[in-house]
Amino acid sequence: MDPLDLIDLDRYPLHDLGSATGQRVIEDARAQIAAMGAAELSGFVTPDGVAKLVADADALAERAHPSGGVGTAYLELPSDEWPKDHPRQTWMPYGVRAVGYDVIPFTSPLRQIYESPAVTAFIEAVLNRGTIYHYADPCGALNLAVMGEGDELQWHFDQTDFVVSLAIQDAADGGDFDVVPLIRTADNENYDDVARVLNGSHPDVLTLEMTPGTLLIFEGRHSIHRVSPITGDTLRHVGLLAYDTKPTTVSSELLREIRYGRVTPFAEPPVTWPAA
Ligand SMILES: O=C(O)CCC(=O)C(=O)O
Ligand SMILES: [Fe+2]
């Protein structure tokens, strides 16, 4: 299968980025990122493509490793120097299940989209910050994030410059992607505003639609965001496509252990699950 068959090439001509439509799509996405730190590309995957991604995600869900507990918005252990009520000391619950790249079969349409050179070239063109590479971590390069009843992701800033996510299936209730765009800069943490987000009183929280088939190119380092708590039986499925501006970046063993429940990746995606 050609993964471009899953993409709406009339709206997003990945096979011909030099065309007028291709150039306009890139310009629009860049303008969205400049204005709000995120480009939300709805209908990137066709309805037929989404149906294939949903079937694949439902089959892959049993391979997901659950992790959960509490975390801060800064994804690190706070120093004791911060007062107890400071955003750096504010702990919030999270729960998510992750299917790692090493267990996603070669035939998976999500994997094929991620590995498509045309998809990488498109994201690279939108970001306009030089060459990007697939993240070199054997577990972290591509994830299917599966979230069900009770799962959520706490308010946080990402530690990478950008994240690309592909919305596959919505939860019945909750599971919204909430964001306060560009709330901090490299030189101004803006803790007062962050505190308002964490205590629920910030007036400018945006909820991004993320209808299935949407590709979101998101600069999460300066835009605080969360996935709201999920209720109901329908799983929320999101593909997380990781890239880096360097070709060799990998995750720490600690992160792998927590997120995937293993430090050593599978050499090849297992054919059956549990792996023999
Ligand atoms: O699941 C999502 O939509 C966002 C995930 C996210 O924020 C992250 O992995 O850092
Ligand atoms: Fe994030």
Side-chain angles (χ1 to χ4, degrees), residues 153 156-158 163 218 225:
L153 211 54
H156 67 279
F157 296 101
D158 292 338
V163 169
F218 179 60
H225 55 283

